[in-house]
Each structure stands twice: as structure tokens, then as C-alpha cells.
Amino acid sequence: MANPALQDVVAALRKFAQSAADLHALQEFTVTLIDERLPHYNWTGFYMLDPNDPGTLVLGPFRGAPTEHLRIPVTEGICGAAVAQGAALVVDDVLSDPRYLACSLETRSEIVVPIRVNGQIAGEIDIDSHERAAFGPDDRLFLEECSQIIGQFIAAHA
Ligand code: SME
């Protein structure tokens, strides 16, 4: 990761995770920090699989415009496709992707990165940008590190 802003966020997140009270606090810290430090990340949020209905993602802490997508079946959206694929999914132009579920009319690109707990997907981090093709390899590596920190926190506190 060449971008020092990304490295700084990972370092702060790693430190916070050592003493976070619970998952909610860690997720709130993550979305707040990303929203403050990374201006081209215009919507940042968590979708976690519903433990009572593992076929559905449930909106968790987020920063950015309110979304009507509070629950997303894993068969729908870029969010669902990332679970099905089991790996980070980058969409450079959401308007030309038929899977896309619109949150804000301003969104042009999106990245979704699964969170794994002991190998199993437990949820994901979802980021939207108003810029087309805003997310490159550094963003992916950065968000994979964030996901790993959160996955390890869940595993350690379950
Ligand atoms: N765009 C997502 C839906 C979530 S909103 O972006 C917050 C999707 O296509 O799954």
C-alpha cells in the first residue's frame, strides 16, 4: 500500500481493535475513521449475514447517505455477488452493472470485501464512490486488511 493515508487507517484500526468493547464499537470506529480520512470513499458501511437467516445481509454501522437497502438477499446486488464470489468485488461503473442496487444517485463505483471468521464469510465492508473507477489495487489491499482485523476480532470475542 503506497498511500500513507491507507496505512494510517490500518494502524489506527489495529490499535483500536486491541481494546474495543465489542464488534459494534469497532465497526463504528472503522466507518468514522474511513469517512474522515478518505475523501473519495463517499459511503462506507457494513453488511453482516443475519445469524437467524444466513441468506440475508443486514445493514450495520455506516457513514454516508441513508440507504433503503437495510436487508439484501445474498442472491442480489453487488453485495450479494461478493458473498457468492467469496472475494473482493470491484465495480468500476455501477450504472453498467445489472446487479447493482442503487443507494445514492451519485454513486459511480463500488468495492465490496468479504469479512471471514475462521474461514467462513460473516459479512462484508461496502464502499461507494462518486468517482468512476475510484478503487484500485491499493484500496482492495487496504480493505482486505480492515476485513481481516475485524474477522479476527469477531473470532476472538465470539
Ligand atoms: N450497491 C449495493 C447496495 C448497498 S448500497 O450501495 C449502500 C449493491 O448493489 O448490493
Side-chain angles (χ1 to χ4, degrees):
M1 270 188 296
N3 183 342
L6 300 181
Q7 289 174 357
D8 286 354
V9 172
V10 169
L13 190 53
R14 216 180 279 289
K15 187 160 181 239
F16 188 87
Q18 287 169 5
S19 58
D22 54 25
L23 175 61
H24 185 79
L26 182 57
Q27 289 177 318
E28 281 288 342
F29 182 83
T30 305
V31 295
T32 303
L33 197 63
I34 287 177
D35 188 58
E36 282 174 4
R37 303 277 185 90
L38 307 174
H40 65 297
Y41 286 29
N42 298 114
W43 192 95
T44 299
F46 287 93
Y47 281 96
M48 303 304 287
L49 288 173
D50 183 344
N52 300 314
D53 175 11
T56 302
L57 291 156
V58 183
L59 180 64
F62 71 96
R63 291 290 176 279
T67 174
E68 66 191 60
H69 301 293
L70 306 182
R71 296 176 66 84
I72 302 177
V74 293
T75 50
E76 291 179 21
I78 309 291
C79 287
V83 171
Q85 174 171 295
L89 181 53
V90 179
V91 176
D92 286 341
D93 177 8
V94 293
L95 300 181
S96 66
D97 191 318
R99 298 170 297 185
Y100 175 64
L101 300 171
C103 164
S104 156
L105 291 176
E106 289 178 290
T107 299
R108 287 296 170 272
S109 57
E110 178 162 6
I111 181 170
V112 184
V113 179
I115 297 167
R116 288 186 182 273
V117 178
N118 298 321
Q120 300 289 317
I121 295 180
E124 58 195 26
I125 303 179
D126 179 20
I127 316 276
D128 292 343
S129 179
H130 297 170
E131 291 168 32
R132 206 187 157 282
F135 305 111
D138 266 12
D139 298 284
R140 178 183 175 147
L141 281 174
F142 161 66
L143 291 166
E144 284 172 347
E145 281 205 50
C146 294
S147 287
Q148 202 176 38
I149 293 167
I150 290 156
Q152 284 168 355
F153 181 91
I154 298 171
H157 294 81

